[in-house]
Amino acid sequence: MLKNKKKKIIIGAIVSIMIAIVIGIWAFENQSVEALSKYGSRGNEVTQIQTKLKRWGYYNGNIDGIYGSQTVEAVKYFQRKNGLTVDGIAGPATLKAMGIYSSSSSSSNSSNSNNVNLLAKLIYGEARGEPYTGQVAVGAVVMNRVKSSSFPNSVSGVIYQSGAFDAVRDGQINLSPDATAKKAAQDAINGWDPSYGAIYYFNPSTATNKWIWSRPMTVTIGRHRFCK
């Protein structure tokens, strides 16, 4: 009688463990679908990845929702340009850099929205009237500074660093940005960098600081010269 009771307890424990394992595997696989796309993956997330990468010039293939070799290479290109681990896999860090979030990332979306609004204000104050690519490039300078150990590690920290931007100094940061500035801010946050890694920019026709002229130039867009 006692032996039978022990057997039932052991069997019950084994069944419970197996159920827990199955549930764990199911949860992990479903989480992976939500936050990981790689070679062979299909679906809406892959379509989003391809759409963004094609828009930014990283991807030349068809937007078909299939994570093939072209998508892998495009993701690697994006990762190299944005200081991410170059593995061709769109994991959480890469998806975040692209501005792709799962439905459970409401807090991340809120933070991203605040960054977009603030960056749009700076772009509008610093570069309204410039070509669209030039506006994105101004936003990219901010994002490059966030990544650099020489500057604050947040969008707000970089923008409000003492003496960093004229728009903050003269109050134009408080103007309401237009739709173009907001779109440029989102593109910059999502990883498009027309400045080619610049952390400074200036207007050659008005600049009086001799030091800024010594910085290596990356590109000139509109009235702004971008440099490292």
Side-chain angles (χ1 to χ4, degrees):
M1 187 77 176
L2 188 59
K3 286 185 177 179
N4 289 337
K5 190 173 182 180
K6 284 184 177 180
K7 283 183 179 179
K8 288 181 179 179
I9 292 173
I10 292 171
I11 291 172
I14 292 172
V15 170
S16 297
I17 291 170
M18 291 179 67
I19 290 173
I21 291 171
V22 170
I23 292 173
I25 292 172
W26 178 87
F28 175 79
E29 288 179 345
N30 278 272
Q31 182 181 6
S32 297
V33 170
E34 193 70 25
L36 179 69
S37 287
K38 56 186 178 180
Y39 184 79
S41 297
R42 294 169 179 257
N44 180 60
E45 187 171 89
V46 179
T47 300
Q48 290 184 66
I49 292 167
Q50 292 173 331
T51 300
K52 286 176 177 287
L53 293 181
K54 189 158 190 171
R55 179 181 176 188
W56 301 330
Y58 293 99
Y59 177 66
N60 295 319
N62 295 324
I63 299 174
D64 54 12
I66 302 172
Y67 207 113
S69 57
Q70 278 188 290
T71 305
V72 170
E73 292 307 312
V75 170
K76 285 183 178 179
Y77 183 18
F78 176 81
Q79 290 169 331
R80 276 194 298 272
K81 289 281 289 181
N82 290 277
L84 299 162
T85 299
V86 182
D87 56 11
I89 297 172
T94 298
L95 292 177
K96 183 179 179 182
M98 292 180 184
I100 299 173
Y101 300 92
S102 67
S103 57
S104 62
S105 301
S106 57
S107 60
S108 295
N109 281 327
S110 175
S111 175
N112 184 62
S113 177
N114 291 337
N115 286 337
V116 170
N117 289 335
L118 180 56
L119 187 57
K121 286 184 175 183
L122 180 81
I123 291 170
Y124 188 73
E126 290 275 317
R128 63 183 180 275
E130 290 293 300
Y132 181 72
T133 303
Q135 294 189 42
V136 177
V138 167
V141 166
V142 173
M143 301 312 298
N144 291 336
R145 289 189 179 189
V146 171
K147 296 172 187 174
S148 170
S149 60
S150 301
F151 295 91
N153 62 357
S154 67
V155 170
S156 59
V158 166
I159 289 176
Y160 288 114
Q161 186 176 25
S162 179
F165 296 100
D166 289 339
V168 175
R169 190 183 303 113
D170 62 21
Q172 292 191 66
I173 188 73
N174 298 313
L175 297 174
S176 297
D178 60 12
T180 300
K182 291 177 181 178
K183 186 168 177 285
Q186 186 66 70
D187 274 342
I189 285 175
N190 286 352
W192 185 15
D193 184 5
S195 80
Y196 296 98
I199 53 176
Y200 302 103
Y201 63 88
F202 66 99
N203 185 334
S205 65
T206 60
T208 57
N209 186 318
K210 292 182 179 179
W211 176 84
I212 195 66
W213 285 92
S214 70
R215 307 307 301 171
M217 186 185 75
T218 59
V219 67
T220 296
I221 307 173
R223 292 172 293 177
H224 284 143
R225 178 178 295 185
F226 295 83
C227 47
K228 291 186 175 182

